[in-house]
Amino acid sequence: MKDKLFTDSNFVVKRIYQRPAKTKPEDAGRYPYTRGIHPGMFRERLWTMRQYSGFGDARLTNERFKFMLEKGQTGLSMAFDLPTQIGYDPDSQQAEGEVGKVGVSIASIKDMMTAFEGIPLGKVSTSMTINSTASTLLAYYIAVGESQGFKSTQLRGTTQNDILKEYIARNTYIYPPQQSMRLIGDMIEYCAQHVPSWYPVSISGYHMREAGCTATQEVAFTLANAIAYIQTCLDRGLKIDDFAPRLSFFFCCTIEFFEEVAKFRVARKVYARILKEMFHAKNPRSLQLKFHTQTSGESLTAQQPDNNIVRVAIQTMAAVAGGTQSLHTNSRDEALALPTESSAKIALRTQQIVAHESGITKTVDPMAGSYYMEDLCAKIEDGVWKYLKKIQKMGGSVRAIERGFFQSEIRQNAYRLKKEADDGDRILVGVNKYTEHEAQPELLRIDERVGISQQKALKALRASRNAKKCKDAISAMQAAADTEENIMPYIVTAAKALSTTGEISSAFREVFGEYRPKEVF
């Protein structure tokens, strides 16, 4: 690390800025981590640059992964299609018309092998945005790593695996909450023992924010869900410092620059207090809120899509000023379709320009001393604690979800935002002001033949595998699901026996049942 860093005008940039005070001020890298979880932050090491990728079949996704890595991406982030997310095989009637459309189709370990062909899993960090079927996809990943010669202890990455926010905002759930929480507990316990460098859950505020909640609600609801996951692990006998260091978070970054920076600071501070005061964690790493950020897809517009490049750049600056550990920048065309290679490259270059040209990484906490920032932090923090107390009185996140509390709060704010835009009180450039017609840009379209190809591959897989070995593995897994035994080893065995995503999910459906949400208006 350089001893001195300078602005373009040759002013020396201090490592960290402090307001003169009689008491010792808070520092980065120390409890409660308001100013960042590492003393040196981006002066010492940049955030991981992950571009969310995945579409069509595994071969197409493998090509996109390699393209982005060649352009300087430093971590992989994998998107899955809807059938994979909700546990249906490509030849299922429920998958018709959706195979490969919003992410890659992964029907078995064979697809996972193709997706990572030529990419050594022991040398790359992979984030997988998968929830209901997270245990199955992690099992595939572990098995593929072993086939490449890497032990599970060498694998690094994250499974989103946050089912509570699915019931609240995103809706790709399968099983009822209690059974889903059991699966997540099994994964956290299994990873602590066998995949120690993996983050088994990424507790997500992103989707709730995209659905319409405020910055305060995003932090409060996310941390309320975190409390529920932590308690689930403690109830099964795990010790807080054995698993808390491998919990991670995922937040949205919208275009309200200062409020977003304040949100990230408050999230770190409140989480540190919760882990220390409520759960009595001793390991400093247990107290650190480590989070991935994605710029806001909801803020992007189909009208004048090139304007989205500017929106994403502002959001990128806010995420970095807020101290994110990894970042995905959305592409300009994502309000219209999955990103083209050209658009994805511009999004990645946005991160790289912010990292290397903006100067924002030269000091640990560039927002230090801002009275506006401190006022925003105080207001958000006060609101977060009020929400947490209210949710606790309800009996926690699961009970609040069952009552429709989160859903109602988010819908009320979403309505307010929409009404402001419709009335012209909230200006959206190119949408309700400065409007003009533009020709639609070239878009990425998924060939319908991908679905047909996946169905043929699945048929060939079932014909070639050892049917008895597969059936026995599924039966053993299903029997374990009906006990309190950890299911993860059985899922890994089923994955290696060439069981499909749909077959594994169907087996659990028979034991756990399916969730039907309460309607809230």
Side-chain angles (χ1 to χ4, degrees), residues 197-251:
S197 295
W198 194 267
Y199 290 96
V201 60
S202 179
I203 306 159
S204 305
Y206 184 88
H207 310 87
M208 294 184 283
R209 189 62 182 277
E210 292 285 85
C213 74
T214 66
T216 300
Q217 290 170 339
E218 182 184 2
V219 175
F221 297 169
T222 303
L223 296 187
N225 289 347
I227 291 170
Y229 291 127
I230 291 169
Q231 193 60 55
T232 294
C233 293
L234 295 177
D235 289 345
R236 61 197 297 147
L238 297 179
K239 295 180 180 179
I240 186 68
D241 287 320
D242 289 344
F243 66 89
R246 303 311 294 179
L247 299 178
S248 63
F249 290 79
F250 174 26
F251 290 111

Side-chain angles (χ1 to χ4, degrees), residues 60-235:
L60 290 170
T61 295
N62 178 262
E63 291 173 0
R64 177 61 66 89
F65 281 166
K66 290 177 177 176
F67 172 81
M68 296 306 296
L69 289 170
E70 288 172 2
K71 301 305 176 185
Q73 179 175 305
T74 55
L76 297 176
S77 184
M78 194 172 191
F80 299 90
D81 69 356
L82 279 175
T84 303
Q85 291 182 49
I86 54 178
Y88 290 112
D89 285 331
D91 58 357
S92 168
Q93 184 178 352
Q94 287 87 345
E96 187 175 351
E98 292 291 346
V99 178
K101 290 295 178 67
V102 299
V104 60
S105 172
I106 302 291
S108 74
I109 187 178
K110 294 286 189 182
D111 287 330
M112 192 68 94
M113 284 181 174
T114 301
F116 290 98
E117 185 178 346
I119 301 172
L121 298 193
K123 298 181 180 180
V124 68
S125 172
T126 302
S127 174
M128 295 191 282
T129 303
I130 195 72
N131 296 281
S132 295
T133 56
S135 53
T136 302
L137 274 297
L138 176 60
Y140 292 156
Y141 195 85
I142 291 169
V144 171
E146 289 179 0
S147 74
Q148 293 182 350
F150 298 106
K151 298 177 181 178
S152 63
T153 53
Q154 295 174 277
L155 303 179
R156 295 178 297 113
T158 306
T159 33
Q160 189 168 102
N161 199 26
D162 175 6
I163 202 64
L164 292 180
K165 65 91 175 57
E166 296 295 324
Y167 302 117
I168 295 169
R170 193 165 175 267
N171 301 325
T172 64
Y173 43 71
I174 303 175
Y175 321 112
Q178 295 294 345
Q179 288 76 12
S180 294
M181 292 293 280
R182 182 265 178 94
L183 275 172
I184 291 171
D186 282 357
M187 278 188 67
I188 293 173
E189 182 179 45
Y190 182 85
C191 287
Q193 296 171 358
H194 303 286
V195 203
S197 295
W198 194 267
Y199 290 96
V201 60
S202 179
I203 306 159
S204 305
Y206 184 88
H207 310 87
M208 294 184 283
R209 189 62 182 277
E210 292 285 85
C213 74
T214 66
T216 300
Q217 290 170 339
E218 182 184 2
V219 175
F221 297 169
T222 303
L223 296 187
N225 289 347
I227 291 170
Y229 291 127
I230 291 169
Q231 193 60 55
T232 294
C233 293
L234 295 177
D235 289 345

Side-chain angles (χ1 to χ4, degrees), residues 354-404:
V354 168
H356 300 292
E357 297 185 29
S358 71
I360 197 171
T361 62
K362 292 178 180 178
T363 186
V364 168
D365 185 9
M367 303 307 295
S370 165
Y371 295 138
Y372 179 39
M373 181 60 57
E374 291 180 6
D375 182 68
L376 286 170
C377 286
K379 290 174 179 175
I380 292 173
E381 183 177 355
D382 180 63
V384 167
W385 284 117
K386 286 179 179 176
Y387 265 119
L388 288 175
K389 289 176 183 176
K390 182 180 289 188
I391 294 164
Q392 188 177 21
K393 285 183 179 179
M394 293 181 190
S397 279
V398 174
R399 292 293 176 85
I401 289 167
E402 291 171 346
R403 289 177 56 173

Side-chain angles (χ1 to χ4, degrees), residues 429-444:
V429 175
V431 179
N432 60 9
K433 195 166 186 178
Y434 312 114
T435 58
E436 59 188 54
H437 176 73
E438 284 189 352
Q440 190 178 75
E442 181 182 349
L443 300 175
L444 175 63

Side-chain angles (χ1 to χ4, degrees), residues 320-385:
V320 173
T324 191
Q325 275 61 69
S326 71
L327 178 62
H328 162 79
T329 36
N330 287 334
S331 300
R332 59 181 170 180
D333 48 7
E334 288 192 51
L336 295 160
L338 293 173
T340 62
E341 278 193 354
S342 174
S343 294
K345 185 173 77 170
I346 291 172
L348 177 61
R349 291 288 184 258
T350 301
Q351 291 200 53
Q352 292 164 336
I353 290 169
V354 168
H356 300 292
E357 297 185 29
S358 71
I360 197 171
T361 62
K362 292 178 180 178
T363 186
V364 168
D365 185 9
M367 303 307 295
S370 165
Y371 295 138
Y372 179 39
M373 181 60 57
E374 291 180 6
D375 182 68
L376 286 170
C377 286
K379 290 174 179 175
I380 292 173
E381 183 177 355
D382 180 63
V384 167
W385 284 117

